[in-house]
Amino acid sequence: MKSSNIISTFVSAAVFAASTVGAQSWKTIPAIEPKGQHFFYSNNGTEFFIRGVAYQQDVSSNGTIGTDEPTSYTDPLADSDGCKRDIPLMTQLRTNAIRVYAVDPTKNHDECMSMLADAGIYLILDLSEPNQSINRNSPTWDGALYQRYISVIDAFQKYNNLLGFFAGNEVSNSYNTTEASAFVKAAVRDSKAYIKNNNYRTGMGVGYATYDGPIRDQLAQFFNCGDPSEAIDFWGYNVYSWCGDSNYVKSGYQARTDFFRDYSVPIFFAEYGCNTVDGAKGRKFSEVQAIFGDQMTPVWSGGIVYMWFQETNDFGLVQTSGTVASPLADFTALSSQMAKISPSLTNSAAYNPTNSPTSCPTLFNSSSAGAPTASESAWLAKASPLPPSPNQALCACEVDTLSCVSTSNDMSSYGDDFGFICGKMPEACAGINTNATSGAYGAISQCNPQQQLSWVMNKYYQAQKGAAKASACDFNGRASVKAASKPSGTCASLVKGVNSQGMGNVPAPSGNSQQQGSAGGGSGSGSGSGSGGGSGASGSGSKGAAAMQAVPSLTIGSLQIGLYVAGAFITGAGMILL
């Protein structure tokens, strides 16, 4: 139930947070834990509303997905000088959370995380990075991505002021990219399983940040429905619909609040702050009073303003130069709005959530071509089974059994080889195919690109007869013949569920006891990844419900196997697309 003494309770919670972390670090700051639709301090049950800011400079390539050029980024939590410069200003905004889109898990983050903890600031962290993510156009969930995700979890799990992780950002943004959501939900499942099976801190959740557009309802349903071990722990919503002098109804906030009223996990604005009215300097942030007001706080848990740094997209609160940070006009406007809020607080002990997970969205089922009509579901991803969990031990064992393997690390050549083999011999590619609509996933589809290529090369090589076989494992010097090993011991146990076509069950990877998605379902041919423009695990834009404003957020993406295949198809290789 809500506190009757709104102001005093809110102030006392703030004073408590300041007093308990002032002389302490990330080791002793109380963790934030989800319960039902709300977040709470773990030590005293006081409700936690996110007063956040997106804290990362934009990527160098403007977030373009699917290019051959690597996309760089700056890890702001490894920049202690930047943290020293910025955190004191954040406290002037009453900031208690930041969102960071990409970090380097090999760097040391202790100093910045300590400074944040000392200021009572918590972190919401995206697991992907610009060159390793789930791409909406040709999604995959493979060993390389899994290693990226768990490396970030390993690096940040020790920090008590880590609130949780995002497994993706705006991946599906149209009906024909909804298949990609199955791969993101598989990433949620495996990230949660990794946290649990390594006995990391309870309450360290994994969520997703979605765009605001036509499929927003189905997205919210899909990630919340089904087995709780596969579902999100919290839901982030990138919303830019309150522009200028808008209001609760006109902005779409009322409609969104009504939709989420019965949602079973915490929801918050993962990005907000429309700038269509005279750029950053024109932002009044009048929506802050609604977000933290009595109409929304029973359902929402605050929000994260986009963004801290002023760049060409004109969303910045602060202009930085070296060790100097200069607040801009919208910083002052936001500070003024934040100073006026005093949300009603729920105490965890008095809160007994009754909301249940949603039902899963209905799959699109139409014999007509093209986009679904208004009366049809615009959803293409089956909720169960999900793509199999990456098992690199199995993949290595499978490669050991092959006679012909890829020897090239030049990924730009993979498309030609996949295109040639799958065009000549489609059945060779059954084991790497995926179909999220039918729930059929080749068992080799969770392996890394070179392992997948070795699999199809070997299938092609073994099918050749007579003199042709002598040169069938050359591929212009990109493959070679080796002695095949007969699986034994652990390898025998791992590969026994995978048949000669690469179909079957993928066992759980070591340290992950979660039930795996089925990797079967026939030949594995059929419609694969949806096509569509845009991004990978972090989208190139957000859309406001009312204004439909394109927001150039930091974008995450990488070259994935499907892109190689698609490229080969376009150049005339004639293969069957996944």
Side-chain angles (χ1 to χ4, degrees):
M1 62 190 299
K2 297 294 181 182
S3 169
S4 59
N5 192 341
I6 295 172
I7 296 178
S8 63
T9 305
F10 182 75
V11 171
S12 64
V15 170
F16 168 80
S19 65
T20 55
V21 303
Q24 301 179 46
S25 70
W26 47 264
K27 294 180 181 180
T28 52
I29 185 173
I32 303 299
E33 297 179 345
K35 179 182 179 181
Q37 276 194 306
H38 302 284
F39 291 111
F40 299 93
Y41 285 97
S42 60
N43 61 336
N44 68 354
T46 301
E47 187 171 4
F48 180 85
F49 285 101
I50 295 170
R51 304 188 304 271
V53 61
Y55 186 61
Q56 188 143 35
Q57 292 179 287
D58 207 359
V59 294
S60 62
S61 68
N62 297 319
T64 302
I65 290 298
T67 66
D68 291 331
E69 294 300 320
T71 305
S72 63
Y73 65 96
T74 299
D75 180 348
L77 301 181
D79 178 8
S80 58
D81 288 338
C83 290
K84 291 174 185 175
R85 175 195 64 207
D86 296 329
I87 291 173
L89 282 175
M90 290 181 185
T91 62
Q92 294 181 28
L93 295 174
R94 301 179 67 193
T95 299
N96 66 4
I98 60 171
R99 178 183 178 183
V100 173
Y101 296 84
V103 294
D104 182 347
T106 67
K107 292 184 177 180
N108 189 295
H109 304 93
D110 288 356
E111 191 168 358
C112 278
M113 292 301 290
S114 289
M115 284 186 276
L116 290 167
D118 290 340
I121 297 175
Y122 292 79
L123 170 66
I124 302 169
L125 179 60
D126 289 56
L127 289 168
S128 55
E129 61 102 340
N131 299 298
Q132 289 184 293
S133 67
I134 298 169
N135 189 294
R136 70 166 66 113
N137 299 316
S138 53
T140 188
W141 176 236
D142 62 22
L145 284 174
Y146 179 70
Q147 289 299 318
R148 161 66 195 184
Y149 276 46
I150 65 173
S151 69
V152 175
I153 293 171
D154 285 339
F156 280 83
Q157 55 82 23
K158 67 180 182 179
Y159 301 117
N160 274 6
N161 57 330
L162 172 79
L163 191 152
F165 302 103
F166 279 135
N169 180 74
E170 299 189 2
V171 181
S172 297
N173 67 351
S174 61
Y175 90 94
N176 61 333
T177 59
T178 54
E179 286 187 79
S181 288
F183 295 85
V184 182
K185 193 168 183 179
V188 171
R189 173 200 64 202
D190 294 341
S191 298
K192 290 177 61 170
Y194 186 80
I195 291 169
K196 178 180 179 180
N197 294 322
N198 283 279
N199 296 313
Y200 290 157
R201 173 168 49 87
T202 302
M204 183 167 51
V206 181
Y208 178 77
T210 187
Y211 92 125
D212 186 27
I215 59 169
R216 62 194 178 195
D217 292 355
Q218 290 99 324
L219 282 162
Q221 293 165 347
F222 180 78
F223 281 93
N224 183 239
C225 75
D227 187 338
S229 68
E230 300 176 346
I232 43 94
D233 297 312
F234 51 81
W235 189 246
Y237 192 32
N238 299 340
V239 184
Y240 292 84
S241 57
W242 188 304
C243 299
D245 294 316
S246 191
N247 59 54
Y248 181 57
V249 176
K250 180 182 176 182
S251 64
Y253 280 22
Q254 182 185 48
R256 294 294 85 215
T257 300
D258 289 343
F259 176 83
F260 284 108
R261 196 168 302 279
D262 296 324
Y263 212 57
S264 64
V265 298
I267 58 170
F268 56 91
F269 287 2
E271 292 176 5
Y272 75 94
C274 173
N275 74 343
T276 59
V277 181
D278 205 20
K281 67 178 181 291
R283 298 201 289 182
K284 299 179 180 180
F285 290 111
S286 55
E287 66 264 45
V288 166
Q289 303 310 310
I291 294 170
F292 295 94
D294 289 343
Q295 290 178 304
M296 295 185 67
T297 53
V299 176
W300 300 86
S301 294
I304 299 169
V305 172
Y306 187 85
M307 61 179 292
W308 184 256
F309 298 97
Q310 173 69 335
E311 301 200 346
T312 56
N313 58 16
D314 200 19
F315 277 89
L317 297 169
V318 170
Q319 184 76 56
T320 60
S321 177
T323 59
V324 177
S326 303
L328 301 175
D330 56 343
F331 179 101
T332 302
L334 180 60
S335 178
S336 176
Q337 293 289 350
M338 284 295 180
K340 293 186 289 185
I341 65 171
S342 56
S344 301
L345 300 177
T346 299
N347 187 274
S348 177
Y351 173 55
N352 298 303
T354 58
N355 292 352
S356 301
T358 63
S359 58
C360 296
T362 303
L363 283 173
F364 175 49
N365 184 16
S366 175
S367 59
S368 61
T373 66
S375 63
E376 293 174 325
S377 170
W379 194 259
L380 299 174
K382 192 174 183 179
S384 181
L386 295 172
S389 298
N391 189 324
Q392 279 299 287
L394 178 147
C395 294
C397 290
E398 288 288 357
V399 171
D400 284 345
T401 69
L402 307 179
S403 300
C404 176
V405 296
S406 166
T407 57
S408 173
N409 293 320
D410 180 12
M411 288 189 172
S412 65
S413 67
Y414 288 7
D416 290 338
D417 295 330
F418 277 115
F420 172 78
I421 297 168
C422 298
K424 284 273 191 178
M425 190 181 169
E427 63 273 20
C429 296
I432 67 170
N433 286 351
T434 64
N435 188 325
T437 304
S438 68
Y441 301 95
I444 311 302
S445 67
Q446 49 83 29
C447 298
N448 69 42
Q450 188 171 30
Q451 291 167 331
Q452 292 187 40
L453 183 57
S454 292
W455 175 269
V456 300
M457 284 178 165
N458 186 72
K459 297 296 291 183
Y460 176 80
Y461 173 70
Q462 294 295 345
Q464 306 309 306
K465 306 297 181 184
K469 191 167 186 175
S471 59
C473 187
D474 181 70
F475 295 95
N476 293 322
R478 295 189 293 270
S480 66
V481 174
K482 72 171 186 66
S485 300
K486 183 177 180 179
S488 61
T490 301
C491 273
S493 299
L494 287 172
V495 305
K496 67 180 181 180
V498 181
N499 65 27
S500 62
Q501 296 304 308
M503 312 304 293
N505 294 316
V506 178
S510 177
N512 179 353
S513 62
Q514 289 295 101
Q515 182 68 32
Q516 304 307 297
S518 172
S523 67
S525 62
S527 69
S529 310
S531 62
S535 111
S538 182
S540 61
S542 304
K543 299 280 188 180
M548 297 301 288
Q549 175 203 10
V551 179
S553 308
L554 181 137
T555 303
I556 306 295
S558 69
L559 290 174
Q560 302 291 1
I561 188 73
L563 292 181
Y564 308 141
V565 172
F569 180 82
I570 292 169
T571 57
M575 72 163 290
I576 295 177
L577 194 60
L578 298 184

